[in-house]
């Protein structure tokens, strides 16, 4: 058995242009495919160049849906059927693909055109200011309005109230994270990757905020319907679903 193994080994390493080359290529595909310079990354960058809007829509939609699912799973916020894949997941995916991505594509493209070829420190600082004072407020307003509609708001008054209540808290988060992410993008990333990069940062922050919000809501429902003594052992999703149906 060992002799056959050695023979196979000699055949694959000494035959020029034969099995060794094939194995080498397969190894490269397996080890480099997921890396920063691998085939998958290069294919994604190529799609960004050839079909920028479509690629950004797919990326944003996937991340938005995944964010909602992960937040529900971490917070143990289940549907009335006991699932983490709630109706909000596809709604968030639709928002990410058809609202967030096109809006970000247009606004970031305008921002990049305004400062294209301007590499001075003054120009970079001015770009960050424009992003924080114009781009971010527009994006956050659309985001809050969309979240209000997804949550069930059906009148202009309800949507406006949600936007007014959440605007400054969301803007404070943007003013902390946006300068850092934009400065990083200015220095290290090609322009076509800015929107996906911002989407990934927003995905991480949004998952944390969404999870925290869900946990607070579930804890409030526990206190309201079962009391603090029960809140330590109850199942969050079940309690939320029962309370939403009016109790037992």
């Amino acid at each position: 058995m060992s002799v056959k193994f050695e023979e196979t080994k000699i055949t694959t390493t000494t035959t020029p242009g034969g099995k060794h080359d094939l194995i080498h290529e397969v190894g490269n595909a397996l080890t480099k495919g997921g890396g920063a310079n691998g085939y998958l990354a290069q294919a994604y960058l190529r799609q960004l160049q050839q079909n920028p809007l479509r690629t950004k829509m797919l990326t944003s939609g996937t991340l938005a849906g995944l964010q909602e699912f992960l937040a529900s799973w971490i917070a143990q916020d289940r549907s009335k059927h006991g699932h983490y894949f709630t109706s909000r997941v596809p709604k968030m995916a639709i928002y990410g693909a058809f609202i967030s991505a096109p809006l970000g594509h247009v606004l970031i493209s305008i921002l990049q055109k305004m400062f294209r070829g301007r590499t001075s420190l003054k120009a970079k600082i001015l770009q960050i200011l424009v992003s924080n004072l114009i781009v971010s407020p527009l994006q956050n307003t659309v985001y809050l309005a969309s979240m209000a509609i997804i949550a069930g708001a059906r009148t202009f008054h309800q949507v406006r109230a949600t936007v007014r209540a959440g605007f400054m808290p969301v803007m404070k988060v943007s003013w902390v994270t946006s300068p850092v992410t934009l400065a990083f993008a200015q220095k290290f990333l090609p322009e076509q990757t800015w929107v996906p990069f911002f989407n990934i940062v927003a995905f991480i922050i949004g998952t944390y905020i969404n999870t925290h919000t869900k946990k607070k809501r579930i804890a409030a429902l526990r206190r309201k319907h079962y009391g603090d003594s029960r809140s330590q052992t109850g199942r969050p999703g079940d309690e939320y679903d029962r309370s939403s149906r009016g109790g037992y």
Side-chain angles (χ1 to χ4, degrees):
M1 203 66 171
S2 61
V3 174
K4 291 182 179 180
F5 173 76
E6 291 298 328
E7 289 175 353
T8 303
K9 182 178 179 181
I10 292 172
T11 302
T12 57
T13 56
T14 59
T15 304
K19 293 183 179 179
H20 174 71
D21 292 338
L22 176 60
I23 293 174
H24 180 71
E25 290 298 323
V26 172
N28 280 341
L30 292 175
T31 56
K32 292 186 63 179
N37 298 315
Y39 300 127
L40 295 178
Q42 294 301 321
Y44 182 77
L45 291 176
R46 192 159 52 245
Q47 285 299 312
L48 271 176
Q49 293 177 339
Q50 296 173 356
N51 304 288
L53 181 56
R54 184 182 68 184
T55 305
K56 292 171 185 176
M57 289 174 67
L58 291 173
T59 302
S60 182
T62 301
L63 290 176
L66 181 60
Q67 176 196 123
E68 177 63 26
F69 177 79
L70 283 178
S72 297
W73 176 62
I74 296 171
Q76 297 291 295
D77 185 14
R78 290 167 288 185
S79 69
K80 62 183 179 180
H81 302 295
H83 303 307
Y84 298 118
F85 193 93
T86 65
S87 62
R88 285 178 61 93
V89 174
K91 290 177 182 178
M92 287 296 295
I94 292 172
Y95 158 78
F98 295 100
I99 299 177
S100 177
L103 179 64
H105 175 74
V106 171
L107 293 177
I108 298 301
S109 295
I110 294 173
L111 184 67
Q112 290 170 341
K113 288 179 181 178
M114 289 174 58
F115 293 91
R116 184 157 294 157
R118 301 169 63 180
T119 59
S120 65
L121 178 61
K122 180 180 179 181
K124 290 182 178 181
I125 294 175
L126 184 60
Q127 187 180 38
I128 291 174
L129 290 175
V130 172
S131 175
N132 279 270
L133 297 178
I134 299 177
V135 175
S136 289
L138 288 173
Q139 289 179 310
N140 288 335
T141 300
V142 173
Y143 168 77
L144 290 169
S146 300
M147 294 307 101
I149 294 172
I150 290 175
R154 293 295 178 265
T155 66
F156 175 77
H157 175 74
Q158 291 173 331
V159 174
R160 183 180 64 178
T162 300
V163 173
R164 291 182 63 181
F167 183 76
M168 285 310 300
V170 172
M171 283 305 306
K172 289 177 181 178
V173 175
S174 294
W175 286 334
V176 171
T177 59
S178 180
V180 177
T181 55
L182 183 54
F184 182 88
Q186 288 173 338
K187 186 170 182 61
F188 298 107
L189 300 177
E191 289 189 348
Q192 67 268 21
T193 65
W194 282 22
V195 172
F197 171 68
F198 295 152
N199 285 338
I200 292 173
V201 174
F203 167 77
I204 296 172
I205 297 173
T207 300
Y208 171 78
I209 294 175
N210 199 356
T211 301
H212 183 66
T213 301
K214 289 177 183 296
K215 287 182 176 180
K216 286 180 64 177
R217 186 186 69 239
I218 292 170
L221 287 168
R222 282 172 171 169
R223 290 191 295 269
K224 179 179 179 182
H225 291 277
Y226 299 100
D228 291 335
S229 61
R230 178 76 177 271
S231 67
Q232 299 301 319
T233 58
R235 296 175 63 187
D238 293 346
E239 292 169 8
Y240 174 72
D241 295 331
R242 289 167 184 157
S243 65
S244 67
R245 296 194 298 269
Y248 288 106

